[in-house]
Each structure stands twice: as C-alpha cells, then as structure tokens.
C-alpha cells in the first residue's frame, strides 16, 4: 500500500502581501508568514498583552527617539517570511525611513506562553537566519527573559541558523540591548 501525503504550497512575501491587499483574509485574522507557511498566531491573554505593553515602554525608554520601536507590526525578514513579532526595533526615525516593513532590525522580542516551543525553535532560527543580532523571549511560563545573540550557521537548527549565545535572566537581573549598550533594562520591567 502506497502512502500519500497532502501537498502543501509555500508562499512568498510578495504573494502574501497581494492576498492581504485583495482582502483575502478576515479583518483581525491573526496570521503571519513564516518560511513560506501561513501560521495562525497565538491568541493573547491578559498577561501576554500586558507584557507586550511593558516591553514596548521599556524599549522606547532604552532606545529613545532615534529608533523605531514597533508593536505587532510586520517585518521583512526575507522573501518567504513576514512575521509580526510582539516588539521589534529598527534604526532611524519613522518619518525618515523608506521602509514600511523594516528589514534591518537590531532586536526582536516575542512574548511567549503557549507558543514557547515555536518561538524558541522556529522563530529563533528564522531571526538568526535573517541575521537579527539579538532576539529576546519574554518567557511568561518561567517568568524569565531569554536573551539570544550572535547568529551563526547551525545545520541542526530548524532553518539552518541558530544563536550562539543564550542567557536566561531572572526578574532581579538587568539587560543592555546590543544596539543601546548604555541602557539598562530591568527584567522585572518586562514581566507582568
């Protein structure tokens, strides 16, 4: 007996953007394009939503007005990935930028509860592949901040890339973003 598997179709960012422009998705439908696949995003509970606001406030303070701190907006990682991270930071003032969807990012933050495995294994590998120098996971399950830095090739990672440096910081610790080294963000300020 021959086993058959369902065929799937991978999407490009350009195709995904055309679908959005043509109104193919329901208003408020929580989707993002990850490595050519349309993925349904995790629904937000109160702690998740509050942690996003906390991260936004802390990073706006840490980076200042010369940086674009963006909340749940699409970013252009590559030709097949357009995720909507909980918070992202790109250089430059908004009015001076030519990119509606930044591709040069200095920091991406995901708030994780039920999506922890996805954020660690898949999104982390995608962000590393796009050479995002720093990736944080606000881990609501363990009440820690996971800090990923230094993207490198890694054949065993989901998309062939991973972060070389990984730290887990508790509520009593501070973190300084690589792109804002003089800023000190208390991890407690990121946790609801």
């Amino acid at each position: 007996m021959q086993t058959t598997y369902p065929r799937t179709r991978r999407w490009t960012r350009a195709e995904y953007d055309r679908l959005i422009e043509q109104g193919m998705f329901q208003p408020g439908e929580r989707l993002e394009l990850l490595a050519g696949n349309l993925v349904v995003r995790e629904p937000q509970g109160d702690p998740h939503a509050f942690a996003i606001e906390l991260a936004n406030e802390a990073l706006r303070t840490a980076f200042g007005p010369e940086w674009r701190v963006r909340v749940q907006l699409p970013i252009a990682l590559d030709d097949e990935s357009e995720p909507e991270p909980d918070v992202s930071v790109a250089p430059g003032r908004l009015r001076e930028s030519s990119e509606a969807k930044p591709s040069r990012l200095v920091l991406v933050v995901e708030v994780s509860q039920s999506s922890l495995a996805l954020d660690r294994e898949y999104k982390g590998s995608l962000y590393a592949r796009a050479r995002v120098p720093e990736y944080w996971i606000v881990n609501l399950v363990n009440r820690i901040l996971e800090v990923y830095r230094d993207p490198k090739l890694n054949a065993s990672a989901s998309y062939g890339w991973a972060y070389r440096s990984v730290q887990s910081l508790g509520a009593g610790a501070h973190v300084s973003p690589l792109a804002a080294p003089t800023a000190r963000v208390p991890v407690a300020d990121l946790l609801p």
Side-chain angles (χ1 to χ4, degrees):
M1 179 185 206
Q2 184 179 3
T3 303
T4 58
Y5 295 97
R7 291 180 52 202
T8 60
R9 182 190 191 287
R10 296 174 66 88
W11 299 89
T12 67
R13 275 190 38 238
E15 291 170 325
Y16 177 60
D17 288 344
R18 276 196 303 276
L19 290 172
I20 292 169
E21 288 169 11
Q22 294 172 1
M24 299 302 288
F25 304 116
Q26 298 296 318
E29 195 167 4
R30 297 181 49 85
L31 296 172
E32 58 188 340
L33 183 67
L34 303 178
N37 297 299
L38 289 176
V39 177
V40 177
R41 297 188 61 200
E42 158 187 340
Q44 290 181 20
D46 290 345
H48 188 266
F50 190 45
I52 292 170
E53 286 189 277
L54 292 171
N56 178 43
E57 183 175 278
L59 293 176
R60 284 191 185 283
T61 300
F63 281 91
E66 298 300 317
W67 296 85
R68 290 175 67 186
V69 178
R70 307 171 77 244
V71 175
Q72 294 189 324
L73 294 171
I75 58 176
L77 280 190
D78 55 33
D79 288 341
E80 62 177 18
S81 297
E82 190 174 299
E84 296 182 18
D86 290 318
V87 182
S88 62
V89 181
R93 290 179 177 269
L94 177 59
R95 292 281 183 193
E96 297 167 1
S97 176
S98 62
E99 290 183 308
K101 297 174 188 164
S103 59
R104 290 183 319 113
L105 300 151
V106 297
L107 174 62
V108 172
V109 179
E110 294 286 1
V111 174
S112 296
Q113 201 160 16
S114 63
S115 66
L116 194 52
L118 173 76
D119 292 338
R120 281 181 180 152
E121 297 169 31
Y122 297 100
K123 284 189 175 180
S125 186
L126 281 175
Y127 295 142
R129 183 176 79 176
R131 314 299 192 290
V132 176
E134 187 166 24
Y135 171 46
W136 295 356
I137 297 176
V138 179
N139 178 334
L140 297 179
V141 175
N142 303 110
R143 297 196 43 78
I144 59 172
L145 177 67
E146 299 178 18
V147 178
Y148 297 82
R149 293 176 171 163
D150 194 16
K152 65 171 179 142
L153 282 169
N154 181 330
S156 66
S158 298
Y159 299 108
W161 284 78
Y163 286 93
R164 185 183 327 256
S165 170
V166 180
Q167 285 184 294
S168 293
L169 303 174
H174 289 77
V175 63
S176 294
L178 292 174
T182 60
R184 284 178 41 95
V185 177
V187 172
D189 286 0
L190 303 172
L191 297 170

